[in-house]
Coordinates of all heavy atoms in Angstrom, one line a residue:
M1 N -3.8 -23.2 -5.8 CA -4.9 -22.6 -6.6 C -6.1 -22.7 -5.7 O -6.2 -23.5 -4.8 CB -5.0 -23.2 -8.0 CG -4.0 -22.9 -8.8 SD -4.1 -21.1 -9.3 CE -2.5 -20.9 -10.0
T2 N -7.3 -22.2 -6.2 CA -8.5 -22.2 -5.6 C -9.1 -23.7 -5.6 O -9.1 -24.3 -6.5 CB -9.5 -21.2 -6.2 OG1 -9.0 -20.1 -6.2 CG2 -10.9 -21.4 -5.6
T3 N -9.5 -24.1 -4.3 CA -10.1 -25.4 -4.2 C -11.6 -25.3 -4.2 O -12.3 -26.3 -4.4 CB -9.7 -26.0 -2.8 OG1 -10.1 -25.1 -1.7 CG2 -8.3 -26.1 -2.7
N4 N -12.2 -24.1 -4.2 CA -13.6 -23.9 -4.3 C -14.0 -24.0 -5.8 O -13.2 -23.6 -6.7 CB -14.1 -22.5 -3.8 CG -13.7 -22.4 -2.3 OD1 -13.8 -23.3 -1.5 ND2 -13.4 -21.1 -1.9
T5 N -15.3 -24.4 -6.0 CA -15.8 -24.3 -7.3 C -16.0 -23.0 -7.7 O -16.7 -22.1 -7.1 CB -17.0 -25.1 -7.4 OG1 -16.8 -26.5 -6.9 CG2 -17.6 -25.3 -8.9
V6 N -15.5 -22.6 -9.0 CA -15.7 -21.3 -9.5 C -17.1 -21.2 -10.3 O -17.2 -22.0 -11.2 CB -14.5 -20.9 -10.3 CG1 -14.7 -19.4 -10.9 CG2 -13.2 -20.8 -9.5
T7 N -17.9 -20.3 -10.0 CA -19.2 -20.3 -10.6 C -19.4 -18.9 -11.1 O -18.8 -17.8 -10.6 CB -20.4 -20.6 -9.7 OG1 -20.4 -19.7 -8.7 CG2 -20.2 -22.1 -9.2
P8 N -20.2 -18.7 -12.2 CA -20.6 -17.4 -12.6 C -21.2 -16.5 -11.5 O -20.7 -15.3 -11.4 CB -21.6 -17.6 -13.7 CG -21.3 -19.0 -14.2 CD -20.7 -19.7 -13.1
E9 N -21.9 -17.1 -10.6 CA -22.4 -16.2 -9.6 C -21.3 -15.7 -8.6 O -21.4 -14.6 -8.1 CB -23.4 -17.0 -8.7 CG -24.6 -17.6 -9.4 CD -24.4 -18.8 -10.3 OE1 -23.4 -19.5 -10.0 OE2 -25.1 -18.9 -11.4
K10 N -20.2 -16.4 -8.3 CA -19.1 -15.9 -7.5 C -18.3 -14.9 -8.2 O -17.6 -14.2 -7.6 CB -18.3 -17.1 -7.0 CG -19.0 -18.0 -5.9 CD -18.0 -19.1 -5.5 CE -18.7 -20.1 -4.5 NZ -17.7 -21.0 -4.2
T11 N -18.3 -15.0 -9.5 CA -17.3 -14.0 -10.2 C -18.0 -12.9 -10.9 O -17.3 -11.9 -11.3 CB -16.5 -14.8 -11.2 OG1 -17.5 -15.3 -12.2 CG2 -15.7 -15.9 -10.6
G12 N -19.2 -12.9 -11.1 CA -19.9 -12.0 -11.9 C -20.0 -12.2 -13.3 O -20.4 -11.3 -14.0
A13 N -19.2 -13.3 -13.7 CA -19.3 -13.7 -15.1 C -20.5 -14.2 -15.6 O -21.5 -14.7 -14.8 CB -18.1 -14.8 -15.4
R14 N -20.7 -14.3 -17.0 CA -22.0 -14.8 -17.5 C -21.9 -16.1 -18.0 O -22.9 -16.8 -18.4 CB -22.5 -13.8 -18.5 CG -22.6 -12.4 -17.9 CD -23.8 -11.8 -18.6 NE -24.0 -10.5 -18.0 CZ -25.2 -10.1 -17.5 NH1 -26.2 -10.7 -17.5 NH2 -25.2 -8.9 -17.1
T15 N -20.7 -16.7 -18.1 CA -20.5 -18.1 -18.6 C -19.6 -18.9 -17.6 O -18.7 -18.2 -16.9 CB -20.0 -18.0 -20.0 OG1 -18.6 -17.6 -20.0 CG2 -20.8 -17.3 -20.9
D16 N -19.6 -20.2 -17.8 CA -18.7 -20.9 -16.9 C -17.2 -20.7 -17.3 O -16.4 -20.7 -16.6 CB -19.1 -22.5 -17.1 CG -20.4 -22.8 -16.3 OD1 -20.7 -22.0 -15.4 OD2 -21.0 -23.8 -16.6
E17 N -17.0 -20.6 -18.6 CA -15.8 -20.4 -19.1 C -15.1 -19.0 -18.6 O -13.9 -19.0 -18.2 CB -15.7 -20.2 -20.7 CG -14.3 -20.1 -21.4 CD -14.5 -20.0 -22.9 OE1 -14.9 -21.1 -23.5 OE2 -14.0 -19.1 -23.5
A18 N -15.8 -18.1 -18.7 CA -15.4 -16.7 -18.1 C -15.2 -16.9 -16.6 O -14.3 -16.3 -16.1 CB -16.4 -15.6 -18.5
A19 N -16.1 -17.6 -15.9 CA -15.9 -17.7 -14.5 C -14.7 -18.4 -14.0 O -14.0 -18.1 -13.1 CB -17.1 -18.5 -13.9
T20 N -14.2 -19.5 -14.9 CA -13.0 -20.2 -14.7 C -11.8 -19.2 -15.0 O -10.8 -19.2 -14.1 CB -12.8 -21.4 -15.6 OG1 -14.0 -22.2 -15.3 CG2 -11.6 -22.1 -15.5
L21 N -11.8 -18.5 -16.0 CA -10.8 -17.5 -16.4 C -10.7 -16.5 -15.2 O -9.5 -16.3 -14.7 CB -11.0 -16.8 -17.7 CG -9.9 -15.9 -18.2 CD1 -9.7 -16.1 -19.6 CD2 -10.2 -14.5 -17.9
I22 N -11.7 -16.0 -14.7 CA -11.7 -15.0 -13.6 C -11.2 -15.7 -12.3 O -10.3 -15.1 -11.7 CB -13.0 -14.4 -13.4 CG1 -13.4 -13.5 -14.7 CG2 -13.1 -13.5 -12.1 CD1 -14.8 -13.1 -14.7
G23 N -11.6 -16.9 -12.1 CA -11.1 -17.5 -10.8 C -9.6 -17.8 -11.0 O -8.9 -17.5 -9.9
D24 N -9.2 -18.2 -12.1 CA -7.7 -18.4 -12.2 C -6.9 -17.1 -12.0 O -5.8 -17.1 -11.5 CB -7.4 -19.0 -13.6 CG -7.9 -20.6 -13.6 OD1 -8.2 -21.1 -12.6 OD2 -7.9 -21.1 -14.8
A25 N -7.5 -16.1 -12.7 CA -6.8 -14.8 -12.6 C -6.8 -14.2 -11.2 O -5.8 -13.6 -10.7 CB -7.4 -13.7 -13.6
R26 N -7.9 -14.4 -10.5 CA -8.0 -14.1 -9.1 C -6.9 -14.8 -8.3 O -6.3 -14.2 -7.4 CB -9.3 -14.2 -8.5 CG -10.3 -13.1 -9.1 CD -11.7 -13.5 -8.3 NE -12.6 -12.4 -8.8 CZ -13.9 -12.4 -8.6 NH1 -14.5 -13.4 -7.9 NH2 -14.7 -11.5 -9.0
D27 N -6.7 -16.1 -8.5 CA -5.6 -16.9 -7.7 C -4.2 -16.1 -8.0 O -3.4 -16.0 -7.0 CB -5.7 -18.3 -8.2 CG -6.9 -19.0 -7.8 OD1 -7.5 -18.6 -6.8 OD2 -7.1 -20.3 -8.2
R28 N -4.0 -15.8 -9.2 CA -2.9 -15.2 -9.6 C -2.6 -13.8 -8.9 O -1.5 -13.6 -8.4 CB -2.7 -15.0 -11.2 CG -1.4 -14.4 -11.5 CD -0.6 -15.1 -12.7 NE 0.6 -14.6 -12.7 CZ 1.0 -13.9 -13.8 NH1 0.2 -13.5 -14.7 NH2 2.3 -13.4 -13.9
I29 N -3.7 -13.0 -9.0 CA -3.6 -11.7 -8.2 C -3.4 -11.9 -6.7 O -2.7 -11.3 -6.1 CB -5.0 -11.0 -8.4 CG1 -4.9 -10.3 -9.8 CG2 -5.2 -9.9 -7.3 CD1 -6.3 -9.8 -10.3
D30 N -4.0 -12.9 -6.1 CA -3.8 -13.3 -4.7 C -2.4 -13.6 -4.4 O -1.7 -13.2 -3.5 CB -4.8 -14.4 -4.2 CG -6.2 -14.0 -4.1 OD1 -6.5 -12.7 -4.1 OD2 -6.9 -14.9 -4.0
A31 N -1.7 -14.4 -5.3 CA -0.3 -14.8 -5.2 C 0.5 -13.4 -5.3 O 1.5 -13.4 -4.6 CB 0.0 -15.8 -6.2
L32 N 0.2 -12.7 -6.2 CA 1.0 -11.5 -6.5 C 0.9 -10.6 -5.3 O 1.9 -9.9 -4.9 CB 0.5 -10.6 -7.8 CG 0.8 -11.3 -9.1 CD1 0.1 -10.8 -10.2 CD2 2.4 -11.2 -9.5
D33 N -0.3 -10.4 -4.7 CA -0.5 -9.6 -3.6 C 0.3 -10.1 -2.4 O 1.0 -9.3 -1.7 CB -2.0 -9.6 -3.2 CG -2.9 -8.7 -4.0 OD1 -2.2 -7.8 -4.8 OD2 -4.1 -8.8 -4.0
D34 N 0.4 -11.4 -2.2 CA 1.4 -11.9 -1.2 C 2.7 -11.6 -1.4 O 3.5 -11.2 -0.5 CB 1.1 -13.5 -1.2 CG -0.2 -14.0 -0.5 OD1 -1.0 -13.1 0.2 OD2 -0.6 -15.2 -0.8
R35 N 3.2 -11.7 -2.6 CA 4.6 -11.3 -3.0 C 4.8 -9.8 -2.6 O 5.8 -9.3 -2.1 CB 4.9 -11.6 -4.3 CG 5.1 -13.1 -4.5 CD 5.3 -13.6 -6.0 NE 6.2 -12.8 -6.8 CZ 6.3 -12.7 -8.1 NH1 5.4 -13.5 -8.8 NH2 7.2 -12.0 -8.7
I36 N 3.9 -9.0 -3.1 CA 4.0 -7.5 -2.9 C 3.9 -7.0 -1.3 O 4.8 -6.3 -0.9 CB 2.8 -6.8 -3.5 CG1 3.0 -6.8 -5.1 CG2 2.8 -5.3 -3.0 CD1 1.7 -6.4 -5.9
I37 N 3.1 -7.8 -0.6 CA 3.2 -7.6 0.9 C 4.5 -8.0 1.4 O 5.1 -7.3 2.3 CB 2.0 -8.4 1.5 CG1 0.7 -7.7 1.1 CG2 2.2 -8.4 3.0 CD1 -0.6 -8.5 1.4
G38 N 5.1 -9.1 1.0 CA 6.3 -9.6 1.5 C 7.4 -8.5 1.1 O 8.3 -8.3 2.0
L39 N 7.3 -8.1 -0.2 CA 8.5 -7.2 -0.6 C 8.5 -5.8 0.3 O 9.4 -5.1 0.6 CB 8.1 -6.8 -2.0 CG 8.7 -7.9 -3.0 CD1 8.3 -7.7 -4.4 CD2 10.3 -8.1 -2.8
I40 N 7.1 -5.4 0.6 CA 6.8 -4.2 1.4 C 7.4 -4.3 2.9 O 8.1 -3.5 3.4 CB 5.4 -3.7 1.3 CG1 5.0 -3.2 0.0 CG2 5.2 -2.6 2.4 CD1 3.7 -2.8 -0.2
Q41 N 7.2 -5.6 3.4 CA 7.7 -5.9 4.7 C 9.2 -5.8 4.7 O 9.9 -5.4 5.7 CB 7.2 -7.2 5.2 CG 5.7 -7.2 5.5 CD 4.9 -8.6 5.7 OE1 5.4 -9.5 5.2 NE2 3.9 -8.6 6.6
E42 N 9.8 -6.4 3.6 CA 11.2 -6.4 3.5 C 11.7 -5.0 3.3 O 12.8 -4.6 4.0 CB 11.7 -7.2 2.3 CG 13.1 -7.4 2.0 CD 13.4 -8.2 0.8 OE1 12.5 -8.9 0.4 OE2 14.7 -8.2 0.6
R43 N 11.1 -4.1 2.6 CA 11.5 -2.6 2.5 C 11.4 -2.0 3.8 O 12.2 -1.3 4.2 CB 10.7 -2.0 1.4 CG 11.2 -0.7 1.0 CD 10.1 0.1 0.2 NE 10.7 1.3 -0.5 CZ 11.1 2.4 0.2 NH1 10.8 2.5 1.5 NH2 11.7 3.4 -0.5
V44 N 10.4 -2.2 4.6 CA 10.2 -1.6 5.9 C 11.4 -2.1 6.8 O 12.0 -1.2 7.4 CB 8.8 -2.1 6.6 CG1 8.8 -1.7 8.1 CG2 7.7 -1.5 5.9
A45 N 11.8 -3.3 6.7 CA 12.9 -3.7 7.5 C 14.3 -3.1 7.1 O 15.0 -2.6 7.8 CB 13.1 -5.3 7.5
V46 N 14.5 -2.9 5.8 CA 15.7 -2.3 5.3 C 15.7 -0.7 5.6 O 16.7 -0.1 6.0 CB 15.9 -2.4 3.7 CG1 17.0 -1.7 3.2 CG2 16.1 -4.0 3.4
S47 N 14.5 -0.1 5.5 CA 14.4 1.3 5.9 C 14.7 1.5 7.4 O 15.3 2.4 7.7 CB 13.0 1.7 5.6 OG 12.8 3.2 5.8
A48 N 14.3 0.6 8.2 CA 14.6 0.7 9.6 C 16.1 0.7 9.9 O 16.6 1.5 10.7 CB 13.8 -0.4 10.4
V49 N 16.8 -0.2 9.1 CA 18.3 -0.2 9.2 C 19.0 1.1 9.0 O 19.7 1.6 9.6 CB 18.8 -1.4 8.4 CG1 20.4 -1.3 8.3 CG2 18.4 -2.8 9.0
I50 N 18.4 1.7 7.7 CA 19.0 2.9 7.3 C 18.6 4.0 8.4 O 19.5 4.8 8.7 CB 18.3 3.3 5.8 CG1 18.8 2.4 4.9 CG2 18.6 4.7 5.5 CD1 18.1 2.5 3.6
Q51 N 17.4 4.1 8.8 CA 17.0 5.2 9.8 C 17.8 4.9 11.0 O 18.3 6.0 11.6 CB 15.5 5.1 10.1 CG 14.7 5.4 8.9 CD 13.2 5.2 9.2 OE1 12.8 5.6 10.3 NE2 12.4 4.6 8.4
E52 N 18.0 3.8 11.6 CA 18.8 3.5 12.7 C 20.3 4.1 12.6 O 20.8 4.7 13.5 CB 18.8 2.1 13.0 CG 19.2 1.8 14.6 CD 19.1 0.3 14.8 OE1 17.9 -0.1 14.8 OE2 20.0 -0.4 15.2
A53 N 20.8 3.8 11.4 CA 22.2 4.2 11.1 C 22.3 5.7 11.0 O 23.1 6.3 11.6 CB 22.8 3.6 9.8
R54 N 21.2 6.3 10.4 CA 21.1 7.7 10.3 C 21.2 8.5 11.6 O 21.9 9.3 12.0 CB 20.0 8.1 9.4 CG 20.2 9.6 9.0 CD 19.0 10.0 8.0 NE 19.1 9.3 6.7 CZ 18.0 8.7 6.3 NH1 16.8 8.6 6.9 NH2 18.0 8.0 5.1
I55 N 20.2 7.8 12.4 CA 19.9 8.5 13.9 C 21.2 8.3 14.7 O 21.7 9.2 15.4 CB 18.8 7.9 14.4 CG1 17.4 8.4 13.7 CG2 18.7 8.2 16.0 CD1 16.2 7.5 14.1
S56 N 21.8 7.0 14.7 CA 23.0 6.9 15.5 C 24.2 7.6 15.1 O 25.2 7.9 15.9 CB 23.4 5.3 15.6 OG 23.7 4.9 14.3
S57 N 24.2 8.3 13.9 CA 25.4 8.8 13.4 C 25.0 10.6 13.6 O 25.8 11.3 13.2 CB 25.6 8.7 12.0 OG 24.7 9.2 11.1
G58 N 24.0 10.8 14.3 CA 23.6 12.2 14.6 C 22.6 12.8 13.6 O 22.5 13.9 13.6
G59 N 22.2 12.0 12.6 CA 21.4 12.6 11.6 C 19.9 12.5 11.9 O 19.4 11.9 12.9
R60 N 19.0 12.9 10.8 CA 17.6 12.9 11.1 C 17.0 11.4 10.6 O 17.6 10.8 9.9 CB 16.9 13.9 10.4 CG 17.3 15.4 10.8 CD 16.6 16.4 10.1 NE 15.3 16.3 10.2 CZ 14.4 17.1 9.7 NH1 14.8 18.2 8.9 NH2 13.1 17.0 9.9
R61 N 16.0 11.1 11.3 CA 15.4 9.8 10.8 C 14.7 9.8 9.5 O 15.1 8.7 8.7 CB 14.2 9.5 11.7 CG 13.4 8.1 11.5 CD 12.4 7.9 12.5 NE 11.4 8.9 12.7 CZ 10.2 9.0 11.8 NH1 10.1 8.0 11.0 NH2 9.4 10.0 12.0
V62 N 14.4 10.8 9.0 CA 13.8 10.9 7.6 C 14.7 11.8 6.7 O 15.1 13.0 7.2 CB 12.3 11.4 7.6 CG1 11.7 11.5 6.2 CG2 11.5 10.5 8.5
N63 N 15.0 11.4 5.6 CA 15.7 12.2 4.6 C 14.7 12.6 3.4 O 14.3 11.9 2.6 CB 16.8 11.4 3.9 CG 17.6 12.1 2.9 OD1 17.1 13.0 2.3 ND2 18.9 11.8 2.7
L64 N 14.2 13.8 3.6 CA 13.1 14.3 2.7 C 13.5 14.4 1.1 O 12.8 14.0 0.3 CB 12.6 15.6 3.1 CG 11.9 15.7 4.6 CD1 11.5 17.1 4.9 CD2 10.8 14.8 4.5
A65 N 14.8 14.6 0.9 CA 15.2 14.7 -0.4 C 15.2 13.3 -1.1 O 14.7 13.1 -2.1 CB 16.8 15.2 -0.5
R66 N 15.5 12.2 -0.4 CA 15.4 11.0 -0.8 C 14.0 10.5 -0.9 O 13.6 9.9 -2.0 CB 16.1 10.0 0.2 CG 15.9 8.5 -0.1 CD 16.5 7.9 -1.4 NE 16.1 6.6 -1.5 CZ 16.1 6.0 -2.6 NH1 16.3 6.7 -3.8 NH2 15.9 4.7 -2.9
E67 N 13.0 10.9 0.0 CA 11.7 10.6 -0.2 C 11.1 11.2 -1.5 O 10.2 10.6 -2.1 CB 10.9 11.0 1.0 CG 11.1 10.1 2.2 CD 10.1 10.3 3.3 OE1 9.1 11.2 3.2 OE2 10.1 9.5 4.2
M68 N 11.6 12.4 -1.8 CA 11.1 13.0 -3.0 C 11.6 12.3 -4.3 O 10.8 12.2 -5.3 CB 11.7 14.5 -3.2 CG 11.0 15.4 -2.1 SD 9.3 15.5 -2.2 CE 8.9 16.2 -3.7
E69 N 12.8 11.7 -4.2 CA 13.2 10.8 -5.2 C 12.4 9.7 -5.4 O 12.1 9.3 -6.6 CB 14.7 10.4 -5.0 CG 15.8 11.4 -5.1 CD 17.2 10.8 -4.8 OE1 17.4 9.6 -4.6 OE2 18.0 11.7 -4.5
V70 N 12.0 9.0 -4.3 CA 11.2 7.9 -4.4 C 9.9 8.2 -4.9 O 9.3 7.6 -5.8 CB 11.0 7.3 -3.0 CG1 10.0 6.2 -3.0 CG2 12.4 6.7 -2.5
L71 N 9.2 9.3 -4.5 CA 7.9 9.8 -5.0 C 8.0 10.0 -6.6 O 7.1 9.6 -7.2 CB 7.4 11.0 -4.4 CG 7.1 10.9 -2.8 CD1 6.9 12.2 -2.3 CD2 5.9 10.0 -2.7
G72 N 9.1 10.6 -6.9 CA 9.3 10.8 -8.4 C 9.3 9.5 -9.3 O 8.8 9.5 -10.3
H73 N 10.1 8.6 -8.6 CA 10.2 7.3 -9.4 C 8.9 6.6 -9.5 O 8.6 6.1 -10.6 CB 11.2 6.5 -8.5 CG 11.6 5.2 -9.1 ND1 12.3 5.0 -10.2 CD2 11.2 3.9 -8.7 CE1 12.3 3.6 -10.5 NE2 11.7 2.9 -9.6
Y74 N 8.1 6.6 -8.5 CA 6.9 5.9 -8.6 C 5.9 6.7 -9.5 O 5.1 6.0 -10.3 CB 6.2 5.8 -7.2 CG 6.7 4.4 -6.5 CD1 8.0 4.5 -6.0 CD2 5.8 3.5 -6.3 CE1 8.3 3.4 -5.3 CE2 6.1 2.3 -5.6 CZ 7.5 2.2 -5.1 OH 7.9 1.1 -4.5
R75 N 5.9 8.0 -9.4 CA 5.0 8.9 -10.2 C 5.4 8.5 -11.8 O 4.6 8.5 -12.6 CB 5.2 10.3 -10.0 CG 4.4 11.2 -10.9 CD 4.7 12.7 -10.7 NE 6.1 12.9 -11.1 CZ 7.1 13.3 -10.3 NH1 6.9 13.7 -9.1 NH2 8.2 13.5 -10.8
D76 N 6.7 8.6 -12.1 CA 7.2 8.5 -13.4 C 6.7 7.0 -13.9 O 6.4 6.8 -15.1 CB 8.8 8.5 -13.5 CG 9.2 9.9 -13.3 OD1 8.4 10.9 -13.3 OD2 10.4 10.1 -13.1
A77 N 6.8 6.0 -13.0 CA 6.5 4.6 -13.5 C 4.9 4.4 -13.6 O 4.5 3.6 -14.4 CB 7.1 3.6 -12.5
L78 N 4.3 5.0 -12.7 CA 2.8 4.6 -12.5 C 1.8 5.7 -12.7 O 0.7 5.6 -12.6 CB 2.7 4.0 -11.2 CG 3.5 2.7 -10.9 CD1 3.3 2.3 -9.4 CD2 3.1 1.5 -11.8
G79 N 2.3 7.0 -12.9 CA 1.5 8.1 -12.9 C 1.0 8.5 -11.7 O 1.6 8.3 -10.6
K80 N 0.1 9.5 -11.7 CA -0.5 10.2 -10.3 C -0.8 9.2 -9.4 O -0.5 9.3 -8.1 CB -1.6 11.1 -10.7 CG -1.9 11.9 -9.6 CD -3.1 12.8 -9.8 CE -3.6 13.6 -8.6 NZ -4.7 14.5 -8.9
P81 N -1.4 8.1 -9.6 CA -1.7 7.1 -8.6 C -0.4 6.4 -7.9 O -0.4 6.0 -6.8 CB -2.5 5.9 -9.2 CG -3.2 6.7 -10.4 CD -2.1 7.6 -10.8
G82 N 0.6 6.4 -8.7 CA 1.9 6.0 -8.2 C 2.5 6.8 -7.0 O 3.2 6.4 -6.1
T83 N 2.2 8.1 -7.1 CA 2.6 9.0 -6.0 C 1.9 8.7 -4.7 O 2.5 8.6 -3.8 CB 2.3 10.5 -6.5 OG1 2.9 10.7 -7.6 CG2 2.7 11.5 -5.3
A84 N 0.5 8.4 -4.8 CA -0.2 8.1 -3.7 C 0.2 6.7 -3.1 O 0.4 6.5 -1.9 CB -1.7 8.0 -4.1
L85 N 0.5 5.8 -4.0 CA 1.1 4.5 -3.5 C 2.4 4.6 -2.8 O 2.6 4.1 -1.7 CB 1.2 3.5 -4.7 CG 1.8 2.1 -4.3 CD1 0.9 1.4 -3.6 CD2 2.1 1.4 -5.7
A86 N 3.3 5.5 -3.4 CA 4.7 5.7 -2.8 C 4.4 6.5 -1.4 O 5.2 6.2 -0.4 CB 5.5 6.6 -3.7
M87 N 3.6 7.4 -1.2 CA 3.3 8.0 0.0 C 2.9 7.1 1.1 O 3.3 7.1 2.1 CB 2.3 9.2 -0.2 CG 2.6 10.4 -0.9 SD 3.9 11.2 -0.1 CE 3.2 11.8 1.5
T88 N 2.0 6.0 0.7 CA 1.6 5.0 1.7 C 2.7 4.1 2.0 O 3.0 3.9 3.2 CB 0.6 4.3 1.0 OG1 -0.7 5.1 0.7 CG2 0.0 3.1 2.0
M89 N 3.5 3.8 1.1 CA 4.6 2.9 1.4 C 5.7 3.6 2.3 O 6.2 3.1 3.2 CB 5.4 2.5 0.0 CG 6.5 1.5 0.4 SD 7.5 1.3 -1.2 CE 8.0 3.1 -1.5
L90 N 5.9 5.0 1.9 CA 6.9 5.7 2.8 C 6.3 5.8 4.2 O 7.1 5.8 5.2 CB 7.2 7.1 2.2 CG 8.0 7.0 0.8 CD1 7.9 8.3 0.2 CD2 9.5 6.6 1.1
E91 N 5.0 6.1 4.2 CA 4.5 6.1 5.7 C 4.8 4.9 6.4 O 5.0 4.9 7.5 CB 3.1 6.4 5.6 CG 2.3 6.7 6.9 CD 0.9 6.9 6.7 OE1 0.4 7.3 5.6 OE2 0.0 6.8 7.7
L92 N 4.5 3.7 5.7 CA 4.9 2.4 6.4 C 6.3 2.3 6.9 O 6.5 1.6 7.8 CB 4.3 1.3 5.4 CG 2.9 1.0 5.3 CD1 2.7 0.1 4.0 CD2 2.4 0.4 6.5
C93 N 7.1 2.9 6.0 CA 8.5 2.7 6.2 C 9.2 3.7 7.2 O 10.3 3.5 7.6 CB 9.3 2.8 4.9 SG 8.9 1.3 3.9
R94 N 8.5 4.7 7.6 CA 9.1 5.8 8.3 C 9.4 5.4 9.7 O 10.1 6.2 10.4 CB 8.1 7.0 8.3 CG 8.3 7.9 7.1 CD 7.7 9.1 7.2 NE 7.6 9.8 5.9 CZ 6.5 10.1 5.3 NH1 5.4 10.0 5.9 NH2 6.7 10.6 4.1
G95 N 8.9 4.5 10.2 CA 9.5 4.0 11.4 C 8.7 3.6 12.7 O 7.8 4.4 12.9
R96 N 9.4 2.7 13.2 CA 8.9 2.2 14.5 C 10.2 2.2 15.4 O 10.2 1.2 16.2 CB 8.3 0.9 14.3 CG 7.0 1.0 13.5 CD 6.4 -0.4 13.3 NE 5.2 -0.3 12.6 CZ 5.0 -0.5 11.3 NH1 5.9 -1.0 10.5 NH2 3.8 -0.4 10.7
I97 N 11.2 3.0 15.2 CA 12.4 3.0 15.9 C 12.1 3.8 17.1 O 11.5 4.9 17.1 CB 13.5 3.7 15.0 CG1 13.8 2.8 13.8 CG2 14.7 3.8 15.9 CD1 14.8 3.3 13.0

């Protein structure tokens, strides 16, 4: 957790109690972000395996039908911003092969 003293000035809160709550929540968000980044890195690695297998078997690197499924899944779960998030993730995963 945070080793810095949480103050209203650092958090934009108006009370020490709110500043502490915000500091704790920010620590949790930072931990979640680290996990999300790790999962995306793992997804990139798995995607590379799939792309390599597809290419070595004579196929194309990208399967657009599959990408549309992924976009739909994120859109259904998160709404319109989910589509943008999925597009960014797919861009990250498209390859360094």
Side-chain angles (χ1 to χ4, degrees):
M1 291 288 165
T2 299
T3 57
N4 298 333
T5 303
V6 179
T7 64
E9 295 79 27
K10 288 184 179 180
T11 63
R14 303 224 179 223
T15 66
D16 288 339
E17 182 179 303
T20 298
L21 187 134
I22 291 168
D24 291 346
R26 284 181 178 171
D27 287 344
R28 179 126 191 262
I29 285 173
D30 290 345
L32 289 167
D33 285 344
D34 288 342
R35 287 173 48 199
I36 291 166
I37 290 166
L39 289 169
I40 290 171
Q41 290 170 331
E42 184 178 347
R43 191 187 194 287
V44 168
V46 172
S47 183
V49 169
I50 291 168
Q51 290 174 50
E52 195 171 303
R54 195 180 293 127
I55 291 168
S56 68
S57 71
R60 298 179 62 174
R61 181 174 56 88
V62 175
N63 180 330
L64 296 178
R66 172 61 180 154
E67 287 196 358
M68 293 305 294
E69 288 176 16
V70 172
L71 291 169
H73 181 68
Y74 275 71
R75 182 191 62 243
D76 292 346
L78 302 171
K80 187 176 178 182
T83 303
L85 177 63
M87 285 296 295
T88 299
M89 183 193 59
L90 289 169
E91 184 178 341
L92 288 167
C93 292
R94 277 195 193 116
R96 297 177 176 104
I97 295 176

